[in-house]
Amino acid sequence: KLGDKEVDWDPSFRMYFTTKLSNPHYSPEVFGQTMVINYSVTESGLAAQLLNVVVKHERPDLEEQRENLVTELSENKSLLKKCEDTLLRELAYATGNLLENEELVLTLEKTKATAVDIAAKIEVANQTAKDIATTREGYNPIAIRGSVLYFSMAGLSVLNIMYEYALSAFLQVFHLSLERSKKDSSIDSRVMNVIDHLTLSVYNYTCTGLFERHKLLFSFQMTCMILRQAGELNLDLFDFFIKGNTSIDKGSAPPYPWISDAGWHDLNRLMTLDETLQSVEEDINKDPKAWQDWYDLDAPESVDFPMGYSEKCGIFQKISLLRVFRPDRVTVGAQQFIIEMMSDKYVQPPVLNFMKVYEQSSPVTPVLFVLSPGADPAYDVFALADKLGFGGPKMKFIALGQGQGKAAQQMLETGAARGQWVMLLNCHLLASWLRTLEKILEQTTKPHLDFRLWMTTDPTDAFPLGILQKCLKVVTEPPNGLKLNMRASFSKITDEQLEACPHYAFKPLVYVLAFFHAVVQERRKYGKVGWNVGYDFNESDFRVSMNLMDYYLTKTFNEKQEQIPWGSLKYLVGDAMYGGRVTCDYDRRVLTTYIGEYMGDFLFDTFQPFHFFVGKECDYRLPEKPSLASSFEMIEQLPLVTSPEVFGLHPNAEISYMTESTRELWSGLVSMQPRGGAGGGVSTEEVIAKTALDIQNKIPAEFDVPVLRKKLSSMNPDKAPTPIQVTLLQELDRWNTLNNYMKTSLRDLQRALKGELGMSQELDMIGQALLNGTLPPQWAKLTPATRKGLAGWINFWMRRQDQYTNWVEEGEPVVMWLSGLSIPETFLAAVVQTTCRRKKWPLDKSTLYTKVTSYLKPEDVTEKLEDGCYIIGTYLEGAAWDPVECCLVRQPPKVLIQEMPVIQIIPVEAHKLKLTGTFKAPVYVTSDRKNAAGVGMVVEADLDTREHSSHWTLQGAALVLNSDA
């Protein structure tokens, strides 16, 4: 039966399927009905193949001799088998006395002579094979290194679907390294030369197609794989470095306030893994000041560790200690590790060179530019085409979109036949046509030698693997750093453009616009503290804004108006051009603050010169003479590395950025690791089963919501639950759903590990998360958003149970732990609704405001409010709170987040609310803040301040309901 039809079939019918997916996941049903064969290459198998390639290149005579030997051995064995078969056939059909059968005796003698001759040849061949194998073994390190490098490349696909590399592409790099590496008569020296050249070539080739944030990760993974293959990597310590302490047991609190809870939890695990580090806790207690002084340094990894640990520890032990005490410096420590183990070449990715990209391409190897916000390679490709004589009619391009497939196909066919360059822009916008493109490229077997295909796309999982593996991938990103960004903007401006506008303000405003353009792009670096959503501000925004300023200022000059039309310019640049991309109100608030700070008559105040920012090392100001040359001179005076303070952020934003980079490094490394044992002789299945059982034993009994609903209704005069009680019932429904799913999934996972159930993809994901110490994604969908690891989340989950239990047994808490609610907005709405009912206010004309109290702990509050409520569980980012002055202040160094005192929620009629001296801080669920869809925002909090609110706007001040630890 095929589908819903019955069809006749032949007994010899067979069906075969192949897939290009490197690690497909099939259901148990598919495994039950088919024979699944893993045909992917292994490290040892690839090493054996590469050894043949190396020997064929280095000693073609030896490889030819080996191949001839294999053929000769096969022929001799075949001949011997033929003789034996002939003899057996003769014996089987012989009649009479065997000794009188002359033909049989002759056959026997011939077979014996042949067998002796072949045996002698085989013996000689075996000896020759041993000699050849001994010589070949000298080249084996090249093959082994090549295999390790290929698998370090292939593992990148888990980070981004665009990072797909075919074995054929790797072999091209491998062959080039054999050809271009330095020759030497000594085999050992030659092998080292090839290994060094090959490793660097693979690193450079791969980095060309990686986003900046993944280049260090790839280098670190490659280094660790090389050390692991050589047996020089402590696997238990490596597992700790990327995962930390995955135990869900809550340990003791840190003895000193400068050590974080997560760091202390990790240290307890680290001390059990390495003899050198087992006395760290004892040494900290002996001299806590020495350790704190080291911790307080800006770059602790660059000085000696306290109490002689620099001499005791190797480089990997040192970066493990950095993980415990200063995670923000782990990326720098990882660079030091790579430099010490490999070379500084492996922390200096190649600079994108379009001519080299062209040289690596071919008529059958297209170039795929993977885009990032703010980058556009089309301009550079067109410039390269003009330089090489492929401009004008020889350069064809089309922006893909709906209905453009046929035109693009015709352009490709013509280009391949006539030797033109073809550029397909924004391939991701016509994903449905990409399968057709894959077939066209497969069918184009003999294109013109001058033909080149260039493509641009955003990262998308719709891109066919066949194209990805065939392409030379190039990632284009905007210049990194304010100085390079401004230099790039001004490099495309001519003197004629600047002189076109006669107004005196135009040239200074072009510099201001370039500075503003660089600032809004560089602010992206600082993640959610910079922008809630990473916007695609690009060169076109700058060019159009410059043209608008040219138009309005020329018009002002011609009409002889004294006043510059600041209102129009601010609106067009800040709200229309750049603001048109902004979807979040709080991001728009940041953008308009910058426009207000950078545009106005104060730019031309001769008594009080304008400065963007005055730092210790550099004064960010306007050029003294408004010209292109003086602008370039001013830009060249700027430092390459820009302090966050230039963007209005606190220096701690740099620590926040580096900590986030470290998190991404760990997360990426975890996802790239092969599955295997968990270290210490314990299998992966045993670790998962133990963790699952521990959590299962902690799951509380289910709340009986229907019974509770009746009980609460009976307590009220109108026999209906109050808004606060309705919130409780809704929360308990969600809580029961989470716990029931956890209970079921953990039970099924344990059965699957025993073989009693099929291991589904869902259970496999939960098991991997438990192994890696992360929250399973299926559970995350049923719980408030969080960035905590598994151990931190379990403590958070148990605290939620305590609050719900107390709420059910003792009534509404005097102080509500807002972070512990599934949907805190409903509780706050219920608080306002309760007050509106009591005071007869219209609900739609009522709101709430907040006031930070002097209560530092919930225990300090003894009496419940009649209207409104007290809440805890909020953390302040981007600013600090002074409990004495009761106002916002600048953060102390290295303090990225501060738990707030008890906050009072006060319902009020909207028309009566008039606040001064406050900053409206958004309250988010986690430090991920708000996404493009607006998810993550809870409410606004009113925080007292003595600074202007624009200061805190640019600092990225906000409240979050969850710390990451």
Side-chain angles (χ1 to χ4, degrees), residues 393 396-398 400 403-424 430 433 436-437 440-441 443-444 451-453:
K396 304 293 183 183
F397 65 93
I398 185 171
L400 294 183
Q404 296 295 319
K406 287 186 179 179
Q409 183 172 349
Q410 187 177 357
M411 196 177 286
L412 275 172
E413 291 169 353
T414 306
R418 298 181 182 177
Q420 298 170 339
W421 283 16
V422 177
M423 189 163 195
L424 304 179
L430 195 58
W433 181 75
T436 306
L437 175 62
I440 293 171
L441 294 178
Q443 292 165 3
T444 308
F451 171 67
R452 292 294 186 277
L453 174 60

Side-chain angles (χ1 to χ4, degrees), residues 386-538:
D386 291 335
K387 182 179 178 181
L388 296 177
F390 287 92
K394 289 187 177 181
M395 180 76 207
K396 304 293 183 183
F397 65 93
I398 185 171
L400 294 183
Q402 192 170 1
Q404 296 295 319
K406 287 186 179 179
Q409 183 172 349
Q410 187 177 357
M411 196 177 286
L412 275 172
E413 291 169 353
T414 306
R418 298 181 182 177
Q420 298 170 339
W421 283 16
V422 177
M423 189 163 195
L424 304 179
L425 301 165
N426 300 327
C427 293
H428 58 282
L429 298 181
L430 195 58
S432 58
W433 181 75
L434 293 178
R435 293 289 175 192
T436 306
L437 175 62
E438 183 179 20
K439 292 176 183 174
I440 293 171
L441 294 178
E442 286 175 356
Q443 292 165 3
T444 308
T445 52
K446 294 183 179 179
H448 193 284
L449 290 177
D450 290 336
F451 171 67
R452 292 294 186 277
L453 174 60
W454 310 81
M455 297 178 285
T456 69
T457 181
D458 279 353
T460 171
D461 56 5
F463 227 94
L465 286 178
I467 302 179
L468 285 176
Q469 293 181 345
K470 181 180 287 191
C471 287
L472 170 63
K473 289 175 285 296
V474 180
V475 167
T476 56
E477 295 186 279
N480 187 16
L482 186 134
K483 177 178 180 174
L484 297 180
N485 206 307
M486 290 190 69
R487 186 193 288 168
S489 295
F490 268 93
S491 66
K492 293 166 185 173
I493 298 174
T494 62
D495 280 312
E496 289 76 18
Q497 288 174 298
L498 287 181
E499 297 298 335
C501 179
H503 200 287
Y504 74 92
F506 180 64
K507 292 174 186 174
L509 276 177
V510 169
Y511 189 89
V512 169
L513 180 65
F515 192 91
F516 167 75
H517 178 74
V519 165
V520 295
Q521 284 198 315
E522 286 303 302
R523 194 177 170 94
R524 252 196 328 248
K525 164 185 171 181
Y526 299 100
K528 296 294 185 174
V529 175
W531 300 106
N532 281 338
V533 181
Y535 300 106
D536 184 15
F537 300 121
N538 57 38

Side-chain angles (χ1 to χ4, degrees), residues 19 93 95 116 183 230 257-258 275 291 300 303 320 336 364 382 419 521 534 545 572 596 606 633 667 684 746 918 942:
T19 177
Y93 291 105
T95 55
V116 170
K183 310 296 181 191
W258 51 272
E275 291 183 3
W291 285 89
V303 301
S320 296
Q336 291 181 343
V364 293
F382 294 149
Q521 284 198 315
S545 296
L572 289 169
T606 53
E633 286 176 16
S667 174
T684 297
L746 289 171
T918 61
D942 305 291

